Amino acid sequence: MGHPAILTVDDDPAVSRAIARDLRRRYGDQYRIVRASSASEALEALKELKLRGGRVAVILADYRMPQVNGIEFLEQAMDLFPNARRALLTAYADTDAAIQAINVVDVDHYLLKPWDPPEEKLYPVIDALLDAWQATGDREMEDIRVVGHRWSEPSFQIRDFLARNLVPYKWLGADESEGRRLLEAAGVGPESVPLVVTADGRALTQPTTSEVAEAVGLSITPDRDFYDLIIVGGGPAGLGAAVYGASEGLKTLLVERRAVGGQAGQSSRIENYLGFPDGISGAQLTDRARRQAGKFSAEVLTTRDVTGLRQDGSARTLTFADGGEISAHSIVLATGVAYRPLVADGVPELTGSGIYYGSASTEGPSCAGSDVYIVGGANSAGQAALFFSRYARSVTLLVRGDSLEASMSYYLIQQLNAVDNINVRTRCEVIGAQGDGHLQAITICDSKEGLSTTVECGYLFVFIGAEPRTDWLGTAVARDERGFVYTGPDLLSNGTRPKGWDRDRDPFYLECSVPGIFAAGDVRANSVKRVASAVGEGAMAVTLVHRYLEAQ
């Protein structure tokens, strides 16, 4: 197949020559540098590479080009090479416009022109893009095929699991010719979906997520019986703890019940995270953090459901739903929170068949021409509204409060106001859902007008409240009445340490009511519910783990 390509497109001949020269100097021995002077020329080059079975690692596109700008070009390029990493080349004057336009297409980075010296301003960015491409590989979308029904909840769960774990796959309807052919080859009928066909031809009928995880190469079994640090939960706090724990020499294991990234991993665009002025999708942030943890040899287990925690002398032991156990010197609880169920007639029956919790990005293209409703008024709901507005005929935010200002960041409110097909309705709640096999309508109670109305609705996405995933802890550590874990100063009552505390010191800031067990991120009582603070708490927890271990 030859060397993979790095493609650049810029209509300025001088810039085009300069970028190609600098790229050849650093990467020419391992990558083929392809240069184009227009979007149309670049697309022809990509089509030629596709026909010849070539690979494309990175695409660099000038933002301001005639006829087709860089964003429009990258949208078309993604159809040919969806796994290639993408970056915009922009002049300083175009930075704001480029950042806004990046919301349209999932761009990995932007580079300011000029980039002198390239050793500082060009090569580190390209190195990171190439590392990301190599980590995910240039697997084709057809490697894994999923056959199912559009409105089947089990089919949705498998697609969502693969998407959230960044595993490329091709979706086929059970009523499509290729889908029927695969079902026939597997010796099953449409009633046996979902069917997952792996790259090596294995057919999994109605598989569990654990079976799918094992089939696609995700780790589900720990390499050892005992660790220095085990982290429960793979959201920003858990990933932060994994990176810092492993990088500082601790034998570190991260256990995640579904997919790393947590709620943040489902976000279509995070724009207020430090260091990413052009924003970053939750999937990209998760991918980078997971690769970073792997770089330092942290283990990551998926589809392992932790059901219990106990003290075994100086060890802390976790039990799994399958009866297995794993122990460590210290534990970090980073299980985050889950969206609260929407309590309304018809909702449970239609969940997974038009009603979804969180931003189910796999459903984006399917929303084309539909009326989408989103329940919630926080940042996650606003980000979802922007994402689905690219596909849907209309997007309506249903907010229980009087306004968005009390629960949503100012920048997001401004962006919502600028999109024509997004509407915001305040003091509204969903009180019913109707549909025959899939969602077709919802009933909305408007407390301002005192009226209830039923409207056509193709998709409903729910972002209400937050409940901690801590029922499995039982009485192992102290929790508040809502289930959030008490830590540090919150454990002291008039200076008195928690019951059963056996150390001649107060609990460390993130330490739970049992020494050696820590909590970080949204699961912790009185925490700040932000991605940046969760990552910071994950890092801080590792520092406190070191203090705990030093005193043992």
Side-chain angles (χ1 to χ4, degrees):
M1 293 176 66
H3 291 321
I6 299 175
L7 181 140
T8 74
V9 53
D10 197 304
D11 64 314
D12 185 324
V15 174
S16 181
R17 286 193 298 269
I19 186 75
R21 178 198 66 219
D22 288 341
L23 290 174
R24 287 195 183 96
R25 184 182 304 160
R26 176 71 169 252
Y27 307 104
D29 58 338
Q30 295 181 333
Y31 294 88
R32 178 185 174 191
I33 310 303
V34 179
R35 179 164 67 96
S37 59
S38 69
S40 59
E41 182 182 336
L43 286 171
E44 287 302 314
L46 290 174
K47 290 175 183 177
E48 183 71 17
L49 284 167
K50 189 73 174 179
L51 287 172
R52 296 188 177 188
R55 297 170 293 162
V56 177
V58 174
I59 302 173
L60 305 174
D62 181 33
Y63 173 66
R64 184 177 293 188
M65 293 189 293
Q67 284 83 50
V68 178
N69 66 32
I71 291 290
E72 295 166 336
F73 162 71
L74 288 174
E75 282 190 285
Q76 298 176 59
M78 286 171 63
D79 293 333
L80 294 168
F81 290 95
N83 297 318
R85 298 291 163 157
R86 302 168 290 276
L88 277 176
L89 298 171
T90 76
Y92 185 79
D94 293 329
T95 301
D96 288 344
I99 290 174
Q100 293 173 14
I102 280 170
N103 287 311
V104 177
V105 62
D106 206 9
V107 173
D108 296 285
H109 212 286
Y110 73 85
L111 284 161
L112 286 175
K113 300 185 286 187
W115 51 83
D116 290 329
E119 290 75 14
E120 296 180 10
K121 298 183 178 181
L122 175 65
Y123 297 149
V125 173
I126 303 300
D127 287 346
L129 295 175
L130 290 172
D131 285 346
W133 179 77
Q134 289 167 353
T136 56
D138 56 340
R139 296 169 291 179
E140 290 297 320
M141 297 293 282
E142 291 79 11
D143 277 357
I144 297 166
R145 288 159 290 176
V146 180
V147 182
H149 296 300
R150 178 184 178 187
W151 300 114
S152 159
E153 181 180 7
S155 298
F156 164 73
Q157 292 297 340
I158 293 298
R159 288 191 295 137
D160 187 59
F161 174 77
L162 291 171
R164 291 183 59 187
N165 281 284
L166 308 177
V167 178
Y169 70 93
K170 182 177 182 180
W171 164 255
L172 299 165
D175 56 349
E176 297 176 17
S177 58
E178 188 175 354
R180 288 195 297 268
R181 181 180 62 79
L182 288 174
L183 288 171
E184 183 179 346
V188 297
E191 72 282 354
S192 299
V193 297
L195 172 73
V196 176
V197 181
T198 63
D200 58 4
R202 282 182 294 161
L204 307 176
T205 305
Q206 296 180 336
T208 65
T209 53
S210 293
E211 290 171 337
V212 173
E214 186 175 17
V216 301
L218 298 175
S219 179
I220 62 173
T221 306
D223 289 344
R224 60 179 70 232
D225 297 323
F226 196 91
Y227 292 82
D228 295 319
L229 170 64
I230 298 177
I231 302 150
V232 186
L239 287 167
V243 168
Y244 281 90
S247 68
E248 294 173 11
L250 298 178
K251 292 180 175 62
T252 301
L253 174 70
L254 186 150
V255 182
E256 169 55 49
R257 62 194 291 269
R258 183 162 180 81
V260 293
Q263 287 188 8
Q266 299 181 69
S267 175
S268 58
R269 179 67 54 180
I270 302 170
E271 295 188 70
N272 56 356
Y273 188 67
L274 184 67
F276 294 91
D278 51 342
I280 184 169
S281 72
Q284 285 178 308
L285 187 61
T286 296
D287 179 38
R288 295 183 185 195
R290 183 171 61 180
R291 288 189 289 107
Q292 195 171 13
K295 170 185 174 182
F296 296 119
S297 300
E299 289 182 49
V300 178
L301 300 187
T302 55
T303 69
R304 296 306 297 268
D305 198 2
V306 179
T307 57
L309 169 62
R310 70 173 188 268
Q311 299 183 65
D312 287 330
S314 62
R316 306 291 180 258
T317 299
L318 296 168
T319 57
F320 294 122
D322 61 4
E325 295 185 346
I326 192 78
S327 298
H329 289 301
S330 58
I331 303 287
V332 172
L333 304 175
T335 50
V337 294
Y339 292 115
R340 279 206 311 267
L342 176 61
V343 180
D345 291 340
V347 168
E349 295 80 3
L350 295 170
T351 297
S353 301
I355 298 178
Y356 307 96
Y357 287 88
S359 182
S361 58
T362 56
E363 301 305 301
S366 300
C367 292
S370 298
D371 296 313
V372 170
Y373 285 77
I374 294 174
V375 181
N379 281 8
S380 54
Q383 290 158 353
L386 291 170
F387 172 75
F388 288 112
S389 70
R390 292 153 48 183
Y391 303 97
R393 176 170 56 195
S394 70
V395 176
T396 302
L397 266 173
L398 301 176
V399 184
R400 187 169 57 178
D402 293 328
S403 70
L404 289 174
E405 279 72 12
S407 56
M408 188 178 292
S409 295
Y410 176 76
Y411 80 91
L412 265 178
I413 296 174
Q414 298 301 106
Q415 290 184 15
L416 293 174
N417 291 337
V419 180
D420 291 338
N421 66 333
I422 294 180
N423 304 300
V424 179
R425 293 182 58 180
T426 58
R427 295 177 63 184
C428 286
E429 296 184 63
V430 174
I431 60 173
Q434 301 84 40
D436 182 11
H438 64 90
L439 180 68
Q440 294 170 307
I442 58 173
T443 302
I444 302 169
C445 176
D446 187 330
S447 61
K448 295 192 302 293
E449 305 294 334
L451 298 173
S452 295
T453 56
T454 298
V455 297
E456 290 186 2
C457 174
Y459 293 83
L460 180 70
F461 299 92
V462 181
F463 299 82
I464 54 173
E467 295 181 337
R469 296 170 176 163
T470 58
D471 288 346
W472 61 275
L473 285 169
T475 60
V477 297
R479 298 179 291 150
D480 68 13
E481 65 280 359
R482 294 185 296 163
F484 290 94
V485 178
Y486 283 126
T487 60
D490 290 336
L491 290 167
L492 302 178
S493 177
N494 297 320
T496 301
R497 293 166 185 161
K499 183 179 179 180
W501 186 260
D502 62 358
R503 295 297 195 274
D504 188 23
R505 61 170 177 80
D506 290 345
F508 293 133
Y509 185 72
L510 299 178
E511 199 168 19
C512 302
S513 58
V514 176
I517 301 177
F518 301 81
D522 291 359
V523 73
R524 192 175 66 83
N526 301 316
S527 66
V528 177
K529 305 299 189 281
R530 286 288 185 269
V531 174
S533 61
V535 173
E537 287 192 7
M540 186 193 304
V542 171
T543 298
L544 299 177
V545 165
H546 279 293
R547 290 189 194 175
Y548 168 77
L549 294 176
E550 288 167 0
Q552 288 296 94

